[in-house]
Amino acid sequence: MRYPLIHSSFLDGFPELVLEKGGEPKTLYEGANLSFEATTGTEMLIPFDRQNKLLDIAALKLDFPYLALELARRQTIAIYGPLASMVVASENLGEALKIFIDHIQLRVQTVKLCLSLKGDAAEFSIESDFTKVANSVRFQDHGLALSYNLIQILYGQQLSPR
């Protein structure tokens, strides 16, 4: 059985956010069965469900249900590693999104991004067949906010999402 992984960069800024909210990052990592030392400041793939469990535990312990949204707001395009360079070098927004959609699996497994154009509107969705994560509010919040951030950077203008 294939076990889905996510790049540790998707937790960039997490320890700082936890400290600001009065929590102890190392304790939260242990609660999610992740090594604080091994996953902070390193380039590695970690179990996707444990990363998501970490966000869930933190949101609950810190009484901060919007933790994943705040984390995403603080993160930069750098969390996508080399994929960020490919996307930024694209000729236009459409090409950039196609590259991103086609290669996101390099950073986070089991996530499928979909883009459909409807007149002058674009519909962007995030799906995962890994139900242990897909049904999580934290996954949905983090994915949605990161997608918004990426499109905002690539589009270069203020977006009016619906």
Side-chain angles (χ1 to χ4, degrees), residues 4 13 29-30 33 35 39 58 75 87-88 90 97 110 122-123 134 137 148:
Y29 276 81
E30 289 168 358
N33 201 20
S35 166
T39 57
Q75 292 174 324
V87 167
V88 171
S90 300
L97 288 175
T110 78
E123 185 175 290
V137 171
Y148 175 82

Side-chain angles (χ1 to χ4, degrees), residues 4 21 40-41 44 56 88 101-102 117 142 147 157 160 162:
K21 295 295 179 183
T40 53
M44 66 183 305
D56 284 340
V88 171
I101 289 167
D102 290 347
L117 302 175
H142 198 227
S147 299
Q157 299 175 32
S160 300
R162 285 180 270 156

Side-chain angles (χ1 to χ4, degrees), residues 44-56:
M44 66 183 305
L45 293 171
I46 59 176
F48 198 177
D49 63 327
R50 291 185 195 171
Q51 181 262 7
N52 195 71
K53 184 176 180 179
L54 176 63
L55 297 180
D56 284 340

